[in-house]
Every structure is written in structure tokens, then in C-alpha cells.
Amino acid sequence: MKITSARVIVCSPGRNFVTLKIETDQGLTGIGDATLNGRELAVASYLTEHMIPCLIGKDASQIEDIWQFFYRGAYWRRGPVGMTALAAVDMALWDIKAKAAGMPLYQLLGGRSRSKVMVYGHANGKDIDDTVEAVLRYKEQGYVAIRAQSGVPGLASTYGVSKDKLFYEPADADLPTENLWSTTKYLNHVPKLFAKVRDAVGDDIHLLHDVHHRLTPIEAARLGKELEPFKLFWLEDAVTAELQEGFRLIRQHTTTPLAVGEVFSSIYDCQQLISEQLIDYIRTTLVHGGGITHLRRIAALAELYHVRTGFHGATDLSPVTMGAALHFDSWVPNFGIQEYMRHTEATDEVFPHDYHFNAGFLYCGETPGHGVTIDEKLAAKYPYQRAYLPVNRLEDGTLFNW
Ligand SMILES: O=C(O)[C@@H](O)[C@H](O)[C@H](O)CO
Ligand SMILES: [Mg+2]
């Protein structure tokens, strides 16, 4: 089965998405997600200029060989742009292989380990009471796992808090906006938030929180310890993870479970974190981690060390990633949880899909492939719009982690 054409489709139905479409001489087509929030066109160009010319004429069924060809053949390995481009190729080829087999993707991975995929939604509010209300709304909708974020007194804006409660879009401007940050104010606030939230929601709901890479290990250790009475499902991205051994210090001080990895691009970014059992959940998902072929390796390494998956599922991943990820989640033995932020209606229309949400769980569909397509005519009505994630400064002006 020869690849006869491949092309990149960039569209912006509410936010930017990059999609790769691969066609074969047997009439089968597959699509993959290549979206890298704020750097979309770099991936589009990497694909169009450097990968697609090599793809034409290759046998679409040779997924492993094609993966190795691009990974080793680039000479300059890893990195978010290259691994996102490679993920798109990989996802599209798995889509084609599953269609050729006439099976939903999870069957090719080894079949189902579970009937449904537990997800967590994002509850946020301008202050504690507002967030408590948002958490209770999610509970009413049937969610069994909820991430809680709130505005911090004395800070004008912060990560995870939006005016539109359902559709949070952090890439909010055509040049980066600036947020102000105070670790002291934040650390004083978060334990109060979770005391109220846990009290209001009861013991049966999983609660999660995203620190968004803003603490040092010793600060994260203190926060983890203070949050222990509220029994979090996880504390996410407590510190930046360029220094993987930094998590050791947090681990020594707290039993609050730790999750990290949404910005990782390969197994080498989490190898130490996993093998030293410094984390409990690995967040890297298909689109930024080299696709299904590479995530299978990360998941297998993780399983060996009691680490479970907790795939990134923000709206900066397209429905194509979500669809493929749900097949992966339905199969992977060491599944933990799946993040779920709802896409806008316009996005859902551009990317028709057969997965669905019901009462706190997502269900992948049964159509052959990963179950997501793209309506190219509709996509053409939403041209690319430059958009950036914010940057973050300390109160004295120092540029910090957003
Ligand atoms: O856990 C999350 O969903 C976030 O950290 C977002 O993916 C990030 O802000 C980029 O948009
Ligand atoms: Mg996050």
C-alpha cells in the first residue's frame, strides 16, 4: 500500500490546529494531529518541507520503519517540533492500518482493557467560592474527577482561570500577554481552596490541581504536604522537569501523588522520573510524544515502575489526538486518567468524530481507524490566526515560568 499524497491542513475554528492527511494508492486515507500551541507553523513547515517529500512512495503499512526513518534519519533527534511532526505521521499511518484491517484502533493495540475512560474536567473560578460552585457543577454533570484552579488574592490573573467557564483558551492573543506571579501568595491560598472544595464535594470525587511549573522542589514539597489531608488524585507539574532528579526532593516529603509530562517529547524526558518512581502519572500524550509508536514504549516503561498514564487533553490538542488517545486509553493496561477539555462547537464540526462523553467518562467509537475525520471545506473557512500562550513575570519584573 503506497503513500501517494500527503498534505498539511491548518485551520482555526476557535483556535489553531494543524492536521496531516495521508492518502494511499488503495484509496485509504488517514489523518494525524500536528498541533503545537503557539508554534503551529513550524510543525506545518517541518512536515511540508522536510517529511512529506520522503513519505511519498513509501509503504504505508511499514509504520515502525517509517518512524525509525524519520527519528534516526533526521540526525537531530527529539524536540517538540520534530516529535510533533513525527506524531502526526504515526497517527495517520495507524489510522490507515486500522481502516485496512477493518477494525477500531484499540483492536490493533491488543483489544480493550476497559469499557470506558475516566476523564477529569476543569473547574475554575475567580475566587474560592466561585471555584467550589464550578466543582459542584461538574459533579452534577456526572464527573468523578475534577481539576480545581482559582484566582489568587492579590494577583490580577493566573493560569487556569477564565471568564468563559466551559471554553478556557490560554493562547489568548496575537502576541504574548503578561501575567504577574507571586509564589508566596499562591502557596498561602491553595490549601484554603482545597479545604473548602473537599468539604463541599465530599470524599468520593477525585480532585486534581495543576501548579503549571511554578514552584521549586522544596516549595512543591511543602504544598504537597499541606494538601495531604484533602487527598488529591494528583498534583500536576509541581516544578519544571528539565532536571528530572528535582522530583526526588518532593517525593521524600509528601505522599500527594505527582503527575508531569505534558511538555515532554520523548521517553528520554521521563526515563529517570519513571525508573526512580519519582512520579505517579505520566502526562505525555500522542501528539507531542512521537505518536502511538513511541507512547507505547513510554507506557510499557511506566508499567514496570507502577506509573500510570494521565494523558494531556487540553483544547490545544485537536479532536484527532483525543480520538486516537481514547483508543490508547481503552487498551493500555496501566491507564490512570484522561484529561478532557471540551472543544468548541466549531472545532467539533470541522473534526467529525465517533467518540462521546457520558456522565464522567469518554467512550471511543467502533468505526475502523481512530474514528476522527476532517471536513476540509469547512476547515478552509477558518484560516490560521497567530496566537501565543502568555508569559509570566514576578512582581519585580523577572521573567518566570508560565
Ligand atoms: O494541563 C493543561 O491542560 C494545561 O497545562 C494546558 O495544556 C496548557 O496550559 C497549555 O495550553
Ligand atoms: Mg497542565
Side-chain angles (χ1 to χ4, degrees):
M1 183 169 36
K2 278 204 159 46
I3 296 173
T4 48
S5 87
R7 62 181 188 284
V8 173
I9 304 148
V10 181
C11 63
S12 191
R15 61 158 358 281
N16 292 314
F17 296 111
V18 180
T19 309
L20 174 71
K21 184 167 195 174
I22 295 180
E23 292 171 333
T24 65
D25 60 359
Q26 293 185 13
L28 289 174
T29 66
I31 60 170
D33 183 18
T35 307
L36 184 62
N37 202 351
R39 298 292 185 271
E40 295 88 356
L41 300 185
V43 185
S45 144
Y46 191 102
L47 280 162
T48 304
E49 308 296 336
H50 303 295
M51 289 177 85
I52 288 176
C54 305
L55 264 179
I56 308 300
K58 282 203 187 314
D59 179 352
S61 59
Q62 296 290 96
I63 300 178
E64 187 66 48
D65 185 70
I66 291 175
W67 198 95
Q68 300 294 340
F69 177 91
F70 284 115
Y71 184 77
R72 293 167 195 268
Y75 189 64
W76 315 103
R77 297 180 183 192
R78 303 153 60 193
V81 174
M83 291 301 274
T84 300
L86 184 47
V89 172
D90 188 77
M91 243 183 268
L93 293 178
W94 277 99
D95 192 23
I96 290 170
K97 194 182 267 304
K99 284 176 182 168
M103 290 177 182
L105 177 58
Y106 71 79
Q107 291 289 11
L108 269 61
L109 297 173
R112 277 186 184 281
S113 297
R114 57 196 57 79
S115 58
K116 53 186 182 176
V117 172
M118 178 169 71
V119 302
Y120 69 91
H122 288 195
N124 65 82
K126 60 180 189 318
D127 54 28
I128 292 179
D129 289 344
D130 208 21
T131 301
V132 169
E133 238 184 84
V135 167
L136 294 176
R137 268 202 305 276
Y138 273 91
K139 189 182 174 185
E140 274 163 35
Q141 290 170 50
Y143 282 83
V144 294
I146 304 165
R147 187 185 93 162
Q149 309 288 138
S150 120
V152 178
L155 296 180
S157 61
T158 191
Y159 168 75
V161 181
S162 64
K163 286 189 194 83
D164 186 330
K165 289 277 153 59
L166 205 51
F167 301 109
Y168 173 52
E169 181 44 75
D172 57 2
D174 69 351
L175 284 173
T177 55
E178 291 200 355
N179 288 357
L180 270 192
W181 179 250
S182 158
T183 295
T184 307
K185 288 177 178 139
Y186 170 77
L187 282 179
N188 287 335
H189 179 68
V190 180
K192 292 177 197 153
L193 167 69
F194 277 92
K196 281 267 180 84
V197 170
R198 178 54 83 198
D199 188 50
V201 85
D203 281 335
D204 294 337
I205 299 290
H206 296 306
L207 291 175
L208 300 82
H209 182 68
D210 191 347
V211 179
H212 228 250
H213 312 111
R214 289 160 186 216
L215 299 177
T216 64
I218 199 68
E219 291 162 352
R222 176 185 140 196
L223 181 62
K225 238 168 138 169
E226 287 186 38
L227 292 178
E228 277 171 24
F230 315 119
K231 300 183 287 279
L232 261 60
F233 185 90
W234 80 31
L235 189 66
E236 175 181 337
D237 291 350
V239 299
T240 60
E242 287 97 330
L243 184 71
Q244 295 184 42
E245 68 184 47
F247 273 74
R248 244 187 246 145
L249 188 70
I250 313 175
R251 207 52 160 173
Q252 282 158 3
H253 290 283
T254 181
T255 56
T256 294
L258 303 171
V260 74
E262 66 181 43
V263 301
F264 294 172
S265 44
S266 80
I267 198 168
Y268 302 103
D269 297 324
C270 51
Q271 178 257 334
Q272 186 183 9
L273 287 168
I274 291 172
S275 61
E276 288 191 27
Q277 302 180 54
L278 303 180
I279 57 170
D280 300 280
Y281 297 93
I282 181 69
R283 300 256 308 132
T284 313
T285 189
L286 309 178
V287 62
H288 301 135
I292 293 157
T293 298
H294 196 62
L295 254 300
R296 283 210 296 190
R297 298 198 173 102
I298 295 181
L301 177 72
E303 192 203 8
L304 197 56
Y305 295 101
H306 306 283
V307 174
R308 287 182 280 174
T309 62
F311 278 2
H312 190 198
T315 45
D316 49 14
L317 323 170
S318 90
V320 183
T321 291
M322 185 54 81
L326 289 171
H327 285 269
F328 196 100
D329 292 334
S330 298
W331 155 72
V332 71
N334 49 326
F335 172 75
I337 199 166
Q338 167 70 53
E339 181 181 20
Y340 178 46
M341 270 173 89
R342 279 164 203 268
H343 286 109
T344 61
E345 235 168 75
T347 298
D348 284 337
E349 279 166 19
V350 168
F351 295 96
H353 51 264
D354 71 349
Y355 61 81
H356 74 276
F357 174 84
N358 185 35
F361 294 83
L362 277 169
Y363 297 77
C364 70
E366 294 292 330
T367 53
H370 55 46
V372 188
T373 56
I374 182 166
D375 181 335
E376 289 187 64
K377 267 202 193 125
L378 197 56
K381 291 189 180 153
Y382 301 101
Y384 169 77
Q385 284 187 308
R386 193 178 64 196
Y388 284 92
L389 293 169
V391 295
N392 208 15
R393 288 187 189 277
L394 302 181
E395 287 162 303
D396 71 357
T398 309
L399 197 88
F400 197 59
N401 311 315
W402 177 71

